[in-house]
């Protein structure tokens, strides 16, 4: 099932090809920051249930047109906690439009965007359950910042997670792969596997 985020307003058809060239040429954070740096990051949602739509050009599920998708859609049950990917400052609360309830958090040269959130958003305040955030607030890595919802243009509960580096959209999946790789590096090496069938 392809969950539709294409109404996010994050694309413009006439610029699609030019933007895609820009995306291809975007800096690679995994190269730029070194593998250990990614240990500080948190996977942005609990209750992971799969990736439903990746980053880049895709066929629109309704009209068949080809449009860029500036983010990664991560399916998760309604109400699953959304985790702050990296410590930073809440710079914008989004409401309405394709994104629905959304948050934009700045962490140095990165901006991470979270869409289709549960709860309510108004002005500079976002609220969901016991979570209440205000623009300008500092947020810790891994902090619960929201809950998965279906606000905006969404046909199923999922988190749309967008990531920009110095203003250029990145493929979040590349960052998640870099995070996974950094964790594998940290796994201590063990000795050779035990021999089988030598019970004594
Ligand atoms: Zn999306």
């Amino acid at each position: 099932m392809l969950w539709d985020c294409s109404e996010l307003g994050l694309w413009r058809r006439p610029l699609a090809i030019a933007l895609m060239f820009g995306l291809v040429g975007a800096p690679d954070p995994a190269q730029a920051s070194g593998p250990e740096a990614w240990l500080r990051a948190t996977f942005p949602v609990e209750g992971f249930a799969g990736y439903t739509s990746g980053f880049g050009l895709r066929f629109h599920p309704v009209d068949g047109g080809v449009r860029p998708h500036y983010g990664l859609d991560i399916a998760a049950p309604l109400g699953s906690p959304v985790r702050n990917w990296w410590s930073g400052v809440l710079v914008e609360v989004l409401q309405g439009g394709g994104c629905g309830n959304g948050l934009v958090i700045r962490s140095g040269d990165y901006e991470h965007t979270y869409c289709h959130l549960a709860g309510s958003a108004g002005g500079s305040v976002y609220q969901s359950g016991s979570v209440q955030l205000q623009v300008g607030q500092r947020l810790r890595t891994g902090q619960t910042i929201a809950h998965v919802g279906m606000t905006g243009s969404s046909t199923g509960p999922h988190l749309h997670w967008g990531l920009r580096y110095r203003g250029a959209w990145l493929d979040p999946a590349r960052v998640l792969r870099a995070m996974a790789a950094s964790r594998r590096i940290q796994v201590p090496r063990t000795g050779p596997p035990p021999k089988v069938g030598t019970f004594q």
Side-chain angles (χ1 to χ4, degrees):
M1 182 178 183
L2 184 61
W3 289 334
D4 178 20
C5 284
S6 57
E7 303 301 321
L8 282 174
L10 299 176
W11 57 274
R12 294 290 183 273
R13 184 189 295 270
L15 296 175
I17 300 303
L19 284 171
M20 283 308 295
F21 277 111
L23 299 173
V24 170
D28 184 342
Q31 299 289 330
S33 303
E36 289 80 11
W38 297 107
L39 284 171
R40 295 161 50 197
T42 295
F43 191 77
V45 68
E46 285 188 14
F48 172 78
Y51 299 110
T52 53
S53 191
F55 178 89
L57 288 176
R58 67 176 183 183
F59 285 100
H60 190 279
V62 177
D63 66 19
V66 178
R67 300 171 184 173
H69 178 234
Y70 293 122
L72 178 67
D73 293 346
I74 307 171
L78 273 179
S80 297
V82 174
R83 302 293 192 191
N84 184 27
W85 169 69
W86 203 291
S87 61
V89 176
L90 180 63
V91 293
E92 192 173 2
V93 172
L94 307 170
Q95 58 186 130
C99 182
N101 296 335
L103 301 172
V104 181
I105 297 168
R106 180 172 297 146
S107 305
D109 287 333
Y110 292 90
E111 273 191 0
H112 25 132
T113 300
Y114 305 76
C115 287
H116 312 309
L117 305 174
S120 61
S124 60
V125 175
Y126 169 78
Q127 188 159 18
S128 176
S130 61
V131 173
Q132 182 163 335
L133 307 179
Q134 186 147 16
V135 167
Q137 188 173 337
R138 289 204 62 83
L139 301 167
R140 301 183 311 277
T141 301
Q143 180 174 344
T144 299
I145 51 172
H147 297 96
V148 169
M150 284 182 59
T151 55
S153 177
S154 172
T155 57
H158 72 283
L159 173 69
H160 170 98
W161 188 46
L163 194 56
R164 275 190 291 190
Y165 178 73
R166 294 180 178 173
W169 292 105
L170 295 175
D171 180 355
R174 292 167 64 195
V175 173
L176 293 179
R177 283 195 290 272
M179 288 164 56
S182 72
R183 281 159 175 74
R184 282 196 292 273
I185 288 170
Q186 294 299 315
V187 173
R189 290 185 179 279
T190 56
K195 291 178 180 175
V196 177
T198 55
F199 301 102
Q200 291 177 352

